[in-house]
Amino acid sequence: MALANPIMNPRLLEGLRTIVFDNDGVIVDSYEANMVYYGTIRQELGMPPMTEAERVYVHTRTHNEAVRHIVPTDKLDRAFEIGRNFDASLLHPYLKRSEGLGEFLWWLRDAGFNLAINTSRGTSMEMILDLLDLRGFFHPVVTSDKVSVPKPHPEGLNWIMRDHGVRPDEVAYIGDSIVDERAAVASGVRFWAYGNPSLNAAVHISSFWDIKSAMQGCYKGRVLTY
């Protein structure tokens, strides 16, 4: 394991062609938005605020999994109805692009890397891309409603590899949760942990500025320069 910085071992970056991003907690700082959304569902059902463990769970799972985890079975129909009728624009003030992400994406694209997303988020991913002015950077954008089995199942990452025509050793998946780590392991790709030092990852990223500097130091386009 290594911390991303300009003097890290460049061999850890060797052979990459595709960089895949998780969304929540990586592309976008959406923690507060998720807490407002799921907290509203609980509140309208007359339930108490979520526990800390429940807050962690809903931030890293699909919408379906999250709702079923924090709502009793007899209230699920009403919970999903509240979710369908929720005004997503109320969450916009709580959503922001992660620091340094835009500059990192521009550099990766200019250098010739393939970019994709593999997320537990569903149809709201389109809204996120528009809101943060990120449309056009990623292909494919694999969401939980596009796969038969969501993360940590490897279906999403396998789809991306087929689409890009790359092998697992040519892919790095940037995530922030144990679900992302398990998805990477299941598909055989490299796992880079963003903002979560407790995860088992080949590279730990504390900021996108740092990983950008590290990659700039050893790549000219997708060709290693060391």
Side-chain angles (χ1 to χ4, degrees), residues 6 18 29 42 56 58-59 74 95 107 116 120 126 149 194 196 200 204 213 215 221 223:
T18 289
D29 181 353
R42 294 261 294 204
V56 171
V58 300
H59 189 55
D74 63 336
L95 297 169
W107 180 80
S120 295
E126 296 301 314
V149 187
Y194 179 78
N196 189 344
N200 184 16
H204 282 273
S213 294
M215 294 186 72
V223 179

Side-chain angles (χ1 to χ4, degrees), residues 51-178:
T51 65
E52 183 58 33
E54 287 171 332
R55 291 164 70 92
V56 171
Y57 186 94
V58 300
H59 189 55
T60 59
R61 304 300 174 120
T62 67
H63 177 263
N64 183 62
E65 291 171 330
V67 173
R68 291 181 181 278
H69 185 75
I70 63 170
V71 174
T73 303
D74 63 336
K75 295 185 177 183
L76 281 175
D77 288 345
R78 175 59 181 150
F80 285 118
E81 180 184 1
I82 294 169
R84 286 192 299 271
N85 295 328
F86 187 87
D87 182 0
S89 67
L90 297 175
L91 301 179
H92 292 182
Y94 300 98
L95 297 169
K96 58 183 179 180
R97 186 191 295 177
S98 294
E99 179 69 22
L101 174 70
E103 291 80 1
F104 184 44
L105 293 177
W106 277 107
W107 180 80
L108 286 171
R109 188 165 71 175
D110 288 348
F113 289 92
N114 305 311
L115 305 177
I117 288 175
N118 185 41
T119 176
S120 295
R121 189 174 281 270
T123 56
S124 59
M125 191 64 230
E126 296 301 314
M127 176 270 291
I128 295 289
L129 293 174
D130 287 334
L131 183 64
L132 302 184
D133 194 25
L134 292 175
R135 189 171 291 281
F137 278 99
F138 308 100
H139 180 79
V141 176
V142 180
T143 57
S144 61
D145 59 324
K146 295 180 180 178
V147 293
S148 57
V149 187
K151 296 185 300 182
H153 193 278
E155 181 181 348
L157 288 169
N158 289 341
W159 174 356
I160 291 167
M161 286 188 280
R162 288 194 303 272
D163 191 89
H164 289 185
V166 294
R167 303 185 308 268
D169 61 290
E170 298 174 312
V171 179
Y173 181 37
I174 305 177
D176 71 323
S177 74
I178 188 64

Side-chain angles (χ1 to χ4, degrees), residues 1-14 16 190 192 202-203 211 214-215 217-219 224 226:
M1 294 184 289
L3 182 64
N5 61 62
I7 60 171
M8 68 181 289
N9 184 350
R11 293 291 177 186
L12 293 170
L13 307 173
E14 185 176 11
L16 289 172
R190 309 180 206 191
W192 293 357
V203 176
I211 188 61
M215 294 186 72
C218 59
Y219 273 101
L224 289 169
Y226 61 84

